[in-house]
Amino acid sequence: MKPVIVACLLSLTPCLGSALADPVKPPVATVPLPPPEPPQRPNDLVPPEPQVTPLPPERPPELVTGKEAVKPPEGKTGSDTPRGQGPDTANPTALPEAPLPPVRPPELSGEAALALKVAAPDDAACLRRLERLGARFESVAPLGNGQCSAPRPLNVTALADGVALEPAAILTCRAAEALARWTTEVQASARKEFDDRLASLSLGGTYVCRGQNHDSDAKLSEHSFANAIDVMGYGFAKRPAIKVTAAAEGSPEATFLATVRASACEFFRTVLGPGSDSAHGNHLHLDERERNAGHRLCQ
């Protein structure tokens, strides 16, 4: 056992006395000092006085326009007029009144306007082309029924190579020319697929005054202007006729129908047939409707 411990055990009083004589002193609390005051602002750093934007100069009197322009009194100039009392106060941007449009000509007003008629197009060049294509046709009287009209219709009975139209078609020259040109492609497809000659086209209608898809509330059909053809079928010299309908896939008939339908898109602005909608499930609708930017509808 250590000597110090032995000594304390032998005399408890001195050891306890020394322990009580030196108690542990608590830490002394300190109070933080306040921060020093900032230095005084120098006198030369005071904020500048606010600046006032100067007013624009007075508008010269010779530049004042409109009814509000007032000449300054004699002996005074425009600069003498107090601000806020010049002609610019009511309407600083007043301009002269716009002139009225010219009077409508009497021939374009009332009953005279209703009597105006648009001149029919000159078909002289088209008729010569149609003759060179081998078509047989004759001019008929103008057609008119309200908005349905055809000023210079043709009665077309046959096309090149003696292809008969059954029945004859009442068409504009432009539609007849497109039909004649397309039929030459149909003739080539008939010789290629069937080694036969196209003899006739079975038509469902040409000039009919009606709405699209026979809907009286719809926009007028191109049939109303003799500008459309409905092809129902194709007749041949030797083989049986073919109707415009679905054919067995991969058969010569299906190939022929698909080929002539595709070629029609090169000659007509509108081509609709089986698969386009329910109204064209049994015929090929061809027309020359004009659309914006030359758009064509081929379905």
Side-chain angles (χ1 to χ4, degrees):
M1 184 175 294
K2 293 183 178 181
V4 175
I5 298 175
V6 173
C8 288
L9 291 174
L10 294 177
S11 60
L12 293 173
T13 303
C15 292
L16 293 174
S18 60
L20 295 174
D22 286 324
V24 178
K25 294 182 180 181
V28 178
T30 59
V31 178
L33 297 177
E37 295 183 359
Q40 294 292 329
R41 184 183 184 88
N43 295 331
D44 55 351
L45 295 182
V46 295
E49 295 181 0
Q51 297 182 357
V52 179
T53 303
L55 296 175
E58 294 287 345
R59 184 180 183 89
E62 62 271 14
L63 297 182
V64 178
T65 59
K67 293 182 178 180
E68 301 299 329
V70 179
K71 293 183 179 181
E74 294 183 2
K76 294 186 178 182
T77 62
S79 59
D80 296 331
T81 303
R83 178 174 295 277
Q85 298 181 9
D88 291 342
T89 302
N91 190 356
T93 59
L95 297 175
E97 291 185 354
L100 295 175
V103 179
R104 186 179 183 88
E107 63 272 15
L108 297 181
S109 304
E111 296 182 359
L114 298 177
L116 289 176
K117 295 183 179 180
V118 179
D122 185 4
D123 290 340
C126 176
L127 295 173
R128 289 194 297 269
R129 293 192 301 268
L130 198 56
E131 290 177 351
R132 288 197 296 267
L133 288 168
R136 295 201 296 269
F137 60 91
E138 63 179 355
S139 299
V140 294
L143 302 172
N145 181 9
Q147 297 183 26
C148 304
S149 63
R152 292 181 178 175
L154 302 176
N155 182 42
V156 186
T157 56
L159 303 175
D161 297 331
V163 177
L165 299 183
E166 300 175 350
I170 302 296
L171 297 170
T172 62
C173 186
R174 186 176 64 173
E177 181 183 0
L179 180 64
R181 293 184 182 279
W182 172 67
T183 303
T184 61
E185 298 294 325
V186 180
Q187 186 71 270
S189 297
R191 297 186 185 279
K192 179 181 179 181
E193 298 299 332
F194 308 125
D195 192 22
D196 200 352
R197 180 181 68 84
L198 179 70
S200 64
L201 291 177
S202 177
L203 305 182
T206 49
Y207 175 74
V208 182
C209 184
R210 62 173 176 80
Q212 294 180 359
N213 300 334
H214 298 274
D215 184 354
S216 58
D217 296 328
K219 185 177 181 179
L220 285 178
S221 168
E222 289 302 296
H223 287 287
S224 302
F225 312 107
N227 204 31
I229 307 102
D230 286 344
V231 179
M232 310 299 295
Y234 308 90
F236 304 91
K238 296 180 293 184
R239 63 157 288 129
I242 297 177
K243 293 183 178 181
V244 178
T245 184
E249 186 176 354
S251 64
E253 290 79 7
T255 302
F256 171 81
L257 290 173
T259 301
V260 299
R261 180 174 180 173
S263 64
C265 297
E266 301 176 9
F267 301 95
F268 294 92
R269 289 183 170 87
T270 306
V271 178
L272 301 171
S276 300
D277 52 43
S278 58
H280 299 91
N282 65 344
H283 66 277
L284 200 61
H285 172 87
L286 314 171
D287 72 45
E288 285 287 88
R289 180 187 293 274
E290 293 185 359
R291 297 181 176 85
N292 293 334
H295 175 68
R296 292 171 179 259
L297 179 62
C298 184
Q299 296 181 350

